Amino acid sequence: MSAKTLLASLLLAVSGMAAQTNYDFSRLKMEKLDRGVVAVRASKDSVMVSWRYLTTDPFDQSFEVYRDGKLVGNTTPQGMSKNCSTSFMDYNPHDAAACTYEVRPAKGRLKGTWTLPTQAPYGYIDIALDPPASDDAQVVYHANDASAADLDGDGQMEIVLKWEPSNAHDNSHSGLTDPTIIDAYKLDGKRLWRIHLGRNIRSGAHYTQFMVYDLDGDGKAEVVMKTADGTVDGKGKVIGDAHADWREGVRDREATDRTSAAHPATRLRAEGKGRTGIIISGPEYLTVFNGQTGAAIETIDYLPPRGELQSWGDNYGNRSDRFLACVAYLDGIHPSVVMCRGYYTRMTLAAYDFDGKHLKKRWFFDSNTEGRDYHGQGNHNLRVGDVDGDGRDEIIYGACAIDDNGKGLYSTRMGHGDAMHLTAFFPNDDKLYVWDCHENKKDGTELHDAATGEIICQFMASSDVGRCMASDIDPTNPGLEMWSSATGGIAAVTGKVIAGGASQLSTNMAVWWDGDLLRELLDHEEIAKYDWQEQVCRRLQTLDGCRFNNGTKSNPCMQGDIVGDWREEVLTRTPDNRHLRLYITTLPTPYRFHTFLQDPVYRLSITTQNVAYNQPTQPGFFFGEDLKRSGRRFRGWQF
């Protein structure tokens, strides 16, 4: 894009006239949220109480806060008092004693309660876990990626957690793995169910992408994921053949047909290319589970089947078993689940609708038939949003986009990457852009129009750019800031490097935490704030006594707005894997905004966060310091 075109884009952004998401919220089937009340001890003699401000609440909504039935405080509409946020600090609340908080809206009936337990910890909710046990004493299960949704219809989010064994492997590595386990927990630690994926689903970051969302509109989320012979649902029912063992290097007990010389697995072993533990034969299934009970509702064949392994880019089952998944509003009304296979060469996406009983295929995308421009253009993650303003979601699949009808929308042809961000980058403009990094040792990192693929700015690199980040962290620079190993510091949306000395910033995760309009960085059990004057990050809070996951990827189990006000929570595990901690900010904020959960782009970014290499949440609107100068009424707040 030329400097003249970019300037015009910025001017259009300031005027608020650029294209943006165009969802029809009167028809969009989204989850019903409760008030989301939560209380955590902030200090020895104080408790922070916070709750959701909903799009159905009037602008002049006020709230009253009760402790054990006694009025202890209130918050008023904007401009009427100093406290107009949706959080309240309750002082001297009977140190260490249990108490129940209730938040009542002055208008409307949607109340909410939260019981603070005796000896509640400071700054987080403790969720006790029941770790799975392995037959091998050397194998330990780690609480890994998580998702959140209302599983039982009470309006409160539950946690769906993936347990990953310590012998999990990347697809490119040989070795047997213990099975992946999926649990569901309420926030009070009650386990709802456990699904055992069995020996025929290998454990690792690329195999199990679990989608948790209310697909049929009954108010209760379903869980959808790939299954195989021997998967056991939450009621103890086995899917497929309980005795089959399709792992390479393990003698089969039932699948005697694999001894045929014509079988691909046998050929691989004869050529010396077989790898112990990989699964390159046997049936593959897709199952939708009841989110409340864990019971399998329907199981169908996974589309597409492996077929000829070489078509995915190798002959030993590495690239054929690269899976992604998402949920998208493909018709602008109902959520569909999309299950994907491949991204290094051939890439496929299969979209399904669920009516409560059956999965029905909506469409199937295959780069083999769509054209060479889409070969090898997938990332280790994906994002969803209405990028072209037609009210229906598109899928950003790395360097390409798939339209709501299952046809290719565009491809930048820059190839595979590990990280990307889909959100609005320009001030006062909700048009979506993609900040994407690439492994091809050429294209580096680039910002492109999410609707057309047009490149806005680019930082070339002769090395693999593994990660990238985009957030508003500098209030003196218009729009979001962007950085990666290719940028040589922090870059503005114009492509100009504005802080060349800040080349060591984390590119892992981010979180809205301290209550202003800037975002904080989240990495290695630490929340950090960027000091734009000194061009360094400073520790804001250390999440003591917990562990992040996935090595150098260093992500929590999940981050996002799960409870309370508009700010985000961080869900992580303890080192012994016997507890989850849901960290909740206890810092004050002067703002109140409609919960980001009611923005489809943000909500679906929570749903897809567990997919492969985790990416932080991003909204479908611009959020940052420039809003202060906009004069807009933004999500229930008048600037």
Side-chain angles (χ1 to χ4, degrees):
M1 178 182 282
S2 67
K4 183 177 180 180
T5 304
L6 180 57
L7 178 61
S9 177
L10 281 167
L11 291 173
L12 189 61
V14 172
S15 72
M17 296 173 61
Q20 58 189 27
T21 57
N22 193 29
Y23 298 105
D24 183 349
F25 286 94
S26 68
R27 304 175 69 200
L28 206 65
K29 304 296 183 183
M30 296 187 70
E31 62 201 340
K32 293 180 175 61
L33 298 171
D34 69 356
R35 188 54 69 183
V37 175
V38 67
V40 290
R41 193 166 293 283
S43 68
K44 181 179 179 181
D45 58 0
S46 63
V47 170
M48 173 64 84
V49 186
S50 68
W51 58 94
R52 293 184 184 124
Y53 179 36
L54 302 170
T55 56
T56 52
D57 291 326
F59 178 74
D60 62 349
Q61 181 70 70
S62 59
F63 298 92
E64 296 175 340
V65 181
Y66 293 80
R67 181 191 346 112
D68 294 331
K70 177 184 177 181
L71 179 66
V72 293
N74 59 62
T75 65
T76 58
Q78 183 180 356
M80 292 184 62
S81 76
K82 292 184 178 179
N83 188 7
C84 52
S85 72
T86 46
S87 60
F88 176 81
M89 190 70 79
D90 182 23
Y91 291 98
N92 301 313
H94 307 295
D95 179 33
C99 56
T100 297
Y101 285 94
E102 182 180 21
V103 175
R104 302 176 186 174
K107 298 179 180 180
R109 299 180 180 179
L110 188 57
K111 304 175 183 179
T113 61
W114 180 270
T115 298
L116 191 71
T118 303
Q119 301 292 338
Y122 292 174
Y124 64 86
I125 298 170
D126 181 78
I127 304 172
L129 298 176
D130 180 16
S134 170
D135 293 334
D136 184 344
Q138 302 301 312
V139 175
V140 176
Y141 272 92
H142 299 285
N144 193 254
D145 293 338
S147 192
D150 181 7
L151 300 177
D152 55 12
D154 64 357
Q156 185 184 79
M157 294 282 196
E158 280 77 45
I159 303 297
V160 176
L161 175 69
K162 181 176 81 168
W163 288 99
E164 188 169 274
S166 55
N167 60 358
H169 286 294
D170 186 270
N171 300 49
S172 60
H173 300 159
S174 179
L176 295 173
T177 74
D178 277 47
T180 296
I181 308 293
I182 307 291
D183 279 355
Y185 291 90
K186 293 189 73 67
L187 295 183
D188 63 6
K190 178 183 178 182
R191 196 181 81 188
L192 297 179
W193 45 258
R194 170 166 289 174
I195 295 171
H196 190 293
L197 288 180
R199 65 168 70 95
N200 295 307
I201 294 288
R202 204 163 186 239
S203 292
H206 305 292
Y207 305 102
T208 296
Q209 322 302 343
F210 54 102
M211 293 294 97
V212 186
Y213 208 80
D214 181 11
L215 298 172
D216 60 359
D218 67 350
K220 302 177 183 180
E222 289 74 39
V223 181
V224 183
M225 55 192 162
K226 186 174 181 286
T227 57
D229 283 338
T231 295
V232 182
D233 76 3
K235 289 292 190 179
K237 181 181 177 181
V238 177
I239 294 172
D241 184 346
H243 302 291
D245 191 339
W246 298 99
R247 297 172 296 174
E248 289 296 294
V250 179
R251 182 175 294 279
D252 304 324
R253 287 177 287 191
E254 296 293 333
T256 54
D257 62 308
R258 295 180 71 206
T259 60
S260 166
H263 197 281
T266 303
R267 290 202 305 273
L268 282 172
R269 281 199 293 269
E271 296 167 1
K273 297 178 182 178
R275 295 189 176 212
T276 300
I278 67 168
I279 301 163
I280 53 175
S281 53
E284 300 176 281
Y285 307 125
L286 178 64
T287 301
V288 54
F289 297 90
N290 182 296
Q292 187 169 13
T293 67
I297 300 174
E298 185 180 41
T299 297
I300 61 176
D301 290 337
Y302 195 90
L303 183 68
R306 298 179 191 91
E308 181 60 40
L309 294 182
Q310 191 64 57
S311 71
W312 303 99
D314 61 48
N315 65 353
Y316 58 92
N318 173 14
R319 298 187 172 190
S320 63
D321 272 20
R322 300 284 178 157
F323 299 101
L324 302 175
C326 65
V327 170
Y329 288 89
L330 299 174
D331 66 355
I333 304 174
H334 308 93
S336 303
V337 64
V338 184
M339 306 303 292
C340 316
R341 183 175 215 145
Y343 39 75
Y344 286 121
T345 48
R346 182 187 178 192
M347 42 175 275
T348 63
L349 299 84
Y352 300 91
D353 299 329
F354 180 65
D355 63 5
K357 294 182 179 179
H358 302 292
L359 288 165
K360 180 181 179 181
K361 187 177 73 173
R362 172 176 283 270
W363 49 251
F364 178 67
F365 174 96
D366 191 340
S367 63
N368 277 355
T369 57
E370 192 70 17
R372 298 295 300 178
D373 281 352
Y374 293 90
H375 255 46
Q377 302 303 314
N379 267 29
H380 282 302
N381 31 61
L382 74 178
R383 278 293 187 251
V384 174
D386 172 23
V387 302
D388 56 7
D390 64 0
R392 300 182 296 272
D393 280 332
E394 285 70 45
I395 299 166
I396 306 300
Y397 204 78
C400 64
I402 312 305
D403 208 350
D404 56 82
N405 60 5
K407 302 296 182 182
L409 186 62
Y410 66 82
S411 172
T412 67
R413 300 185 297 280
M414 292 183 185
H416 169 74
D418 285 2
M420 66 174 169
H421 303 272
L422 169 71
T423 190
F425 282 71
F426 293 88
N428 292 343
D429 176 18
D430 291 339
K431 180 174 172 56
L432 300 179
Y433 294 85
V434 178
W435 176 239
D436 196 10
C437 58
H438 305 280
E439 285 188 358
N440 62 11
K441 299 181 180 181
K442 176 173 64 73
D443 287 308
T445 321
E446 44 79 23
L447 179 70
H448 67 259
D449 186 322
T452 66
E454 179 186 9
I455 304 301
I456 308 301
C457 61
Q458 184 171 9
F459 299 85
M460 311 296 282
S462 59
S463 60
D464 172 354
V465 181
R467 308 288 281 179
C468 59
M469 179 59 69
S471 291
D472 190 14
I473 59 173
D474 183 346
T476 66
N477 175 65
L480 298 193
E481 287 73 56
M482 315 174 296
W483 62 99
S484 74
S485 61
T487 56
I490 299 175
V493 291
T494 59
K496 178 182 178 181
V497 175
I498 59 173
S503 59
Q504 301 302 314
L505 291 186
S506 165
T507 51
N508 278 342
M509 302 291 281
V511 62
W512 281 292
W513 187 260
D514 67 357
D516 63 17
L517 302 182
L518 300 173
R519 206 169 195 190
E520 287 66 60
L521 301 182
L522 181 65
D523 189 20
H524 288 97
E525 300 86 43
E526 183 177 287
I527 298 171
K529 185 81 170 178
Y530 177 63
D531 182 336
W532 60 89
Q533 294 174 314
E534 299 295 329
Q535 297 186 13
V536 295
C537 265
R538 304 193 186 279
R539 182 171 59 247
L540 186 64
Q541 182 172 338
T542 300
L543 307 182
D544 292 321
C546 69
R547 291 289 183 273
F548 280 12
N549 292 320
N550 302 319
T552 59
K553 301 298 183 289
S554 182
N555 60 270
C557 298
M558 186 175 63
Q559 60 77 226
D561 182 14
I562 303 171
V563 292
D565 64 22
W566 59 275
R567 293 173 293 175
E568 297 182 300
E569 289 72 54
V570 180
L571 182 71
T572 187
R573 63 182 176 91
T574 55
D576 63 3
N577 295 290
R578 293 189 174 277
H579 297 264
L580 290 177
R581 290 181 176 182
L582 183 64
Y583 282 91
I584 298 168
T585 183
T586 58
L587 298 174
T589 179
Y591 301 106
R592 71 174 185 184
F593 300 114
H594 295 147
T595 174
F596 290 7
L597 286 173
Q598 292 182 305
D599 169 59
V601 176
Y602 182 89
R603 180 65 184 91
L604 295 176
S605 74
I606 288 182
T607 304
T608 60
Q609 189 177 132
N610 70 75
V611 172
Y613 292 173
N614 308 52
Q615 297 291 272
T617 53
Q618 297 284 8
F621 46 78
F622 177 84
F623 188 80
E625 190 75 6
D626 299 282
L627 287 169
K628 287 183 177 179
R629 299 180 287 274
S630 69
R632 297 171 60 188
R633 179 173 289 188
F634 172 83
R635 301 196 69 79
W637 182 269
Q638 179 63 52
F639 284 101

